[in-house]
């Protein structure tokens, strides 16, 4: 064999060996320090290169099926919906659902495997059912922090444990919508100021004894000047003032020693009932308290007070008693906040008396306790994503970015709620958003249009953030704080329906109402309270107490 041929063969063998070596290296299995690149929390690999976020919204037009919180159906021309579709490059398939037929309609759709991408959960019971039926997607916590950081921060600023409400077995299935603005204030404490003057009392009572003295004067000293004994101190809502002076309000779950207990069966309530029984016997309490202060029509009206039968009331909410507040609205020529229902009703019957109303504070009882009834701050509703979005995290992220856009900017938030800025609303000289919607309807010849109809209100944006609510309700907020409605609240810690409530609650409520009325009216002695409590505990309460405390543990 000649040298030239040997050289060629040698080079061919060497090349083959090198090729085998390269292939073998390329087929190495199993992780090694050299071939494994683990992304860090920043989204970068160990080499420093950016890793693509699989949940990042894509540059495409998304079609999103959506069930929101609506008071009225969308109109044929939902201008706000169309605005957001264009702005976010989405098509919103909004499901118009009558709130009275909510469960029936959705049950039919769910049975046919129709699940919206965005599902508003309008009750704790429905949320629990949707999770049990595997209708809701699990929400990765890191996505909330990445795509809704300001929204989540604002929600946590109002309630640091807010996200726990949307969790089941430690997994996030819902985003709670926030807190009730109005629930930071307790129920009304209102006196007939003109009656107080006639009784020689210059300021609202501060103690239970002072309250008692004033109520006896209202009942016995003819404050209306008609020469008849036809007035009383108070009716149904006034009972709460007395309960609060003993540290509780009825039908609440409150925390004591780390666990929830039911207020209406506490020993202090027996003391409160003893006081009320004596006052009823003495003719201080309106005998019609059993049927209530409202005789029909709008629920918040207290006819007993507005028609001059009683001199004290806590009926309705604090915002049912305010006078005109704030500067004139340029578009309506009326005050920014118009005088509330009971103020107006009282003025109709007794002109000029509304301005003499006296707003008081909870009175202090014999043991130094005081408080007035308040409702839970946390709103029980939340939003969730259809189960199919577990495989479409980019669409979930897209919806989150829409929420973040609306909630992280003042203009955007009020546009989502009140419509087109400077057409449907504007900021006044105090920076308060003022509605021009009625003028817009007239200008556009749409007398029956609603904010929900155009796609505003809470149709798309449901979150309740105190910073925006405080701004929107500035004049009412300032008035409430001035009258100390934000002080000494007694509120229930429980804001969900207990699993066994449907089985026991109706009968337990009936048992409680009958016992309390019987003791106050003298049909039963005060000591009957002990018998009532014993029977109450045997009639399903122990089951409810167990469930309440199991839930309470999840909130810590």
């Amino acid at each position: 064999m000649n040298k030239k041929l040997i050289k060629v063969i040698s080079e061919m063998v060497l090349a083959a060996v090198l090729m085998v070596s390269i292939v073998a290296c390329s087929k190495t299995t199993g992780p090694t320090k050299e071939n494994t690149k683990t992304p860090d929390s920043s989204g970068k690999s160990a080499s420093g290169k950016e890793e693509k976020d699989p949940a990042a919204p894509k540059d495409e037009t998304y079609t999103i099926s959506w069930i929101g919180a609506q008071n009225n159906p969308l109109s044929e021309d939902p201008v706000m919906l169309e605005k957001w579709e264009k702005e976010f490059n989405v098509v919103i398939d909004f499901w118009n659902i009558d709130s009275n037929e909510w469960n029936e309609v959705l049950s039919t759709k769910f049975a046919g495997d129709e699940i919206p991408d965005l599902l508003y959960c309008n009750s704790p019971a429905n949320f629990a059912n949707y999770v049990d039926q595997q209708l809701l997607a699990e929400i990765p916590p890191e996505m909330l922090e990445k795509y809704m950081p300001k929204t989540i921060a604002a929600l946590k600023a109002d309630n640091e444990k807010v996200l726990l409400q949307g969790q089941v077995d430690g997994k996030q299935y819902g985003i709670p919508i926030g807190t009730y603005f109005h629930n930071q204030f307790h129920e009304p404490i209102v006196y007939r100021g003109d009656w107080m003057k006639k009784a020689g009392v210059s300021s609202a009572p501060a103690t239970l004894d002072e309250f008692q003295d004033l109520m006896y004067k209202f009942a016995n000293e003819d404050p209306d000047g008609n020469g008849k004994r036809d007035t009383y101190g108070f009716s149904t809502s006034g009972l709460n003032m007395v309960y609060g002076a003993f540290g509780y309000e009825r039908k609440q779950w409150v925390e004591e020693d780390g666990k929830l207990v039911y207020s209406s069966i506490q020993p202090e309530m027996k003391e409160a009932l003893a006081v009320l029984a004596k006052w009823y016997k003495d003719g201080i309490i309106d005998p019609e308290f059993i049927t209530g202060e409202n005789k029909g029509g709008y629920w918040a009206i207290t006819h007993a007070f507005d028609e001059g039968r009683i001199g004290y009331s806590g009926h309705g909410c604090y915002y049912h008693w305010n006078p005109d507040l704030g500067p004139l609205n340029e578009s309506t020529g009326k005050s920014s906040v118009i005088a509330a229902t009971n103020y107006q009703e009282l003025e109709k019957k007794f002109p000029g008396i509304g301005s003499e109303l006296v707003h008081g504070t909870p009175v202090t009882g014999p043991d130094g306790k005081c408080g007035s009834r308040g409702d839970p701050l946390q709103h029980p509703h939340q939003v969730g994503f259809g189960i199919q979005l577990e495989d479409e995290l980019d669409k979930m992220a897209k919806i989150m970015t829409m929420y973040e856009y609306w909630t992280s900017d003042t203009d955007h938030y009020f546009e989502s709620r009140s419509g087109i800025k400077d057409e449907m609303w504007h900021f006044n000289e105090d920076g308060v958003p003022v509605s021009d919607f009625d003028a817009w309807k007239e200008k556009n010849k749409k007398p029956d249009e609603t904010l929900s109809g155009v796609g505003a209100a809470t149709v798309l944006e449901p979150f309740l953030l105190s910073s925006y609510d405080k701004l929107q309700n500035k004049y009412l907020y300032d008035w409430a704080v001035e009258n100390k409605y934000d002080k000494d609240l007694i509120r229930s810690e429980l804001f969900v329906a207990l699993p066994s409530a449907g089985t026991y609650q109706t009968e337990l409520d009936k048992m409680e109402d009958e016992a309390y009325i019987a003791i106050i009216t003298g049909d039963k002695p005060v000591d009957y309270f002990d018998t009532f409590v014993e029977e109450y505990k045997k009639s399903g309460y122990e089951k409810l107490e167990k469930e309440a405390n199991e839930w309470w543990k999840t909130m810590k």
Side-chain angles (χ1 to χ4, degrees):
M1 187 176 296
N2 61 45
K3 292 182 178 180
K4 185 175 182 180
L5 179 59
I6 292 172
K7 183 179 180 181
V8 171
I9 293 173
S10 296
E11 291 175 349
M12 292 176 63
V13 171
L14 180 59
V17 171
L18 291 172
M19 183 63 71
V20 170
S21 176
I22 292 171
V23 171
C25 289
S26 69
K27 291 185 177 181
T28 300
T29 59
T32 69
K33 292 182 179 179
E34 290 74 25
N35 69 6
T36 302
K37 308 297 183 184
T38 304
D40 62 20
S41 59
S42 67
K44 295 181 179 180
S45 69
S47 66
K49 294 181 179 180
E50 289 286 345
E51 289 285 325
K52 186 176 181 180
D53 180 3
K58 300 173 183 177
D59 185 17
E60 62 180 49
T61 301
Y62 286 91
T63 297
I64 304 172
S65 50
W66 197 299
I67 295 180
Q70 58 184 131
N71 297 319
N72 300 101
L74 287 178
S75 65
E76 295 180 358
D77 183 26
V79 294
M80 294 308 298
L81 202 71
E82 294 162 1
K83 168 184 167 62
W84 301 128
E85 285 181 323
K86 182 178 180 180
E87 190 150 336
F88 293 118
N89 187 28
V90 298
V91 175
I92 299 176
D93 173 21
F94 193 86
W95 296 9
N96 268 319
I97 299 178
D98 188 327
S99 60
N100 294 320
E101 301 175 353
W102 185 280
N103 291 333
E104 181 182 350
V105 171
L106 288 187
S107 294
T108 301
K109 287 185 175 291
F110 295 156
D113 289 330
E114 292 185 71
I115 304 171
D117 296 320
L118 191 286
L119 175 56
Y120 187 79
C121 306
N122 65 351
S123 74
N126 278 343
F127 172 70
N129 288 335
Y130 299 160
V131 174
D132 288 343
Q133 296 172 46
Q134 298 185 340
L135 300 172
L136 294 179
E138 183 180 347
I139 304 171
E142 63 272 16
M143 286 185 63
L144 292 175
E145 296 299 332
K146 183 170 185 177
Y147 295 107
M148 298 179 65
K150 294 181 180 179
T151 307
I152 299 303
L155 289 170
K156 287 183 175 180
D158 291 337
N159 176 6
E160 62 177 340
K161 297 180 180 180
V162 62
L163 291 180
L164 292 176
Q165 182 187 341
Q167 293 180 6
V168 177
D169 297 330
K171 297 180 179 180
Q172 198 77 39
Y173 291 97
I175 309 173
I177 68 171
T179 57
Y180 282 113
F181 170 80
H182 295 300
N183 285 5
Q184 65 188 297
F185 305 113
H186 59 64
E187 66 185 5
I189 295 179
V190 187
Y191 300 88
R192 281 284 298 265
D194 57 320
W195 286 17
M196 289 175 62
K197 289 179 181 178
K198 290 180 180 178
V201 178
S202 59
S203 60
T207 67
L208 186 61
D209 286 342
E210 291 176 359
F211 183 75
Q212 173 179 278
D213 290 345
L214 182 59
M215 295 303 103
Y216 273 74
K217 290 177 183 294
F218 282 172
N220 296 327
E221 297 184 6
D222 190 24
D224 60 357
N226 67 355
K228 301 177 182 178
R229 194 186 185 288
D230 57 358
T231 58
Y232 300 90
F234 60 87
S235 186
T236 316
S237 65
L239 305 176
N240 290 345
M241 177 70 98
V242 180
Y243 299 139
F246 289 88
Y248 295 95
E249 292 291 353
R250 282 186 61 191
K251 297 185 178 182
Q252 293 185 335
W253 289 89
V254 295
E255 184 177 26
E256 290 192 359
D257 300 324
K259 63 177 292 187
L260 295 184
V261 298
Y262 190 62
S263 60
S264 299
I265 60 175
Q266 302 309 308
E268 291 85 348
M269 295 300 257
K270 180 179 179 179
E271 299 177 55
L273 287 170
V275 171
L276 291 170
K278 180 181 185 305
W279 291 2
Y280 183 85
K281 183 179 180 181
D282 290 348
I284 306 307
I285 302 174
D286 183 355
E288 295 183 8
F289 84 92
I290 298 172
T291 56
E293 297 174 33
N294 177 269
K295 306 304 180 185
Y298 183 48
W299 71 272
I301 295 175
T302 166
H303 295 99
F305 186 93
D306 296 340
E307 294 174 2
R309 184 177 175 88
I310 59 176
Y312 169 83
S313 182
H315 189 74
C317 300
Y318 78 98
Y319 54 79
H320 292 123
W321 291 90
N322 60 273
D324 284 343
L325 300 171
L328 291 181
N329 180 340
E330 303 93 324
S331 65
T332 65
K334 299 178 181 179
S335 297
S336 298
V337 179
I338 298 173
T341 306
N342 281 311
Y343 190 100
Q344 292 188 31
E345 290 297 316
L346 188 64
E347 282 289 304
K348 290 177 184 177
K349 183 75 174 180
F350 307 105
I353 297 302
S355 61
E356 295 192 47
L357 290 175
V358 173
H359 294 265
T361 57
V363 297
T364 302
D367 295 325
K369 298 177 182 179
C370 75
S372 183
R373 186 180 188 86
D375 291 318
L377 279 173
Q378 188 61 37
H379 198 295
H381 296 183
Q382 44 199 315
V383 294
F385 302 98
I387 186 70
Q388 68 275 12
L389 264 59
E390 287 190 352
D391 297 322
E392 299 179 75
L393 293 180
D394 56 309
K395 182 183 282 190
M396 184 186 293
K398 181 67 175 181
I399 299 171
M400 288 182 178
T401 62
M402 294 168 69
Y403 280 144
E404 182 75 355
Y405 178 88
W406 290 321
T407 58
S408 61
D409 179 88
T410 303
D411 282 13
H412 298 165
Y413 183 83
F414 287 114
E415 275 205 306
S416 71
R417 290 303 189 91
S418 302
I420 302 171
K421 183 182 179 183
D422 295 329
E423 291 186 31
M424 297 180 180
W425 66 278
H426 70 280
F427 287 117
N428 69 8
E429 67 267 26
D430 295 326
V432 176
V434 176
S435 177
D436 301 315
F437 193 62
D438 286 341
W440 181 88
K441 290 193 298 182
E442 183 177 352
K443 177 181 178 181
N444 290 274
K445 299 180 180 180
K446 296 183 176 182
D448 298 323
E449 188 59 278
T450 65
L451 280 173
S452 292
V454 300
T458 55
V459 169
L460 297 178
E461 201 301 299
F463 293 104
L464 304 172
L465 305 178
S466 63
S467 57
Y468 295 135
D469 282 338
K470 184 177 178 180
L471 176 60
Q472 187 170 23
N473 295 281
K474 170 181 168 51
Y475 306 117
L476 191 58
Y477 176 87
D478 291 347
W479 176 82
V481 170
E482 180 183 352
N483 286 285
K484 299 182 180 180
Y485 277 112
D486 59 334
K487 306 296 183 183
D488 301 317
L489 278 77
I490 301 176
R491 61 164 57 95
S492 180
E493 298 288 357
L494 184 71
F495 57 83
V496 300
L498 297 174
S500 298
T503 304
Y504 301 110
Q505 198 65 63
T506 300
E507 185 58 33
L508 286 172
D509 285 345
K510 180 173 180 289
M511 184 184 301
E512 176 184 334
D513 292 341
E514 290 177 348
Y516 269 65
I517 290 172
I519 293 172
I520 292 172
T521 58
D523 289 342
K524 295 283 187 181
V526 174
D527 285 340
Y528 176 72
F529 181 83
D530 301 325
T531 302
F532 150 68
V533 171
E534 184 178 347
E535 293 176 351
Y536 190 92
K537 289 181 176 180
K538 293 178 181 178
S539 302
Y541 167 74
E542 292 176 349
K543 175 70 171 175
L544 296 182
E545 182 185 42
K546 181 175 182 293
E547 293 175 351
N549 281 287
E550 287 174 348
W551 170 82
W552 188 233
K553 289 178 182 177
T554 68
M555 292 290 105
K556 295 190 173 185

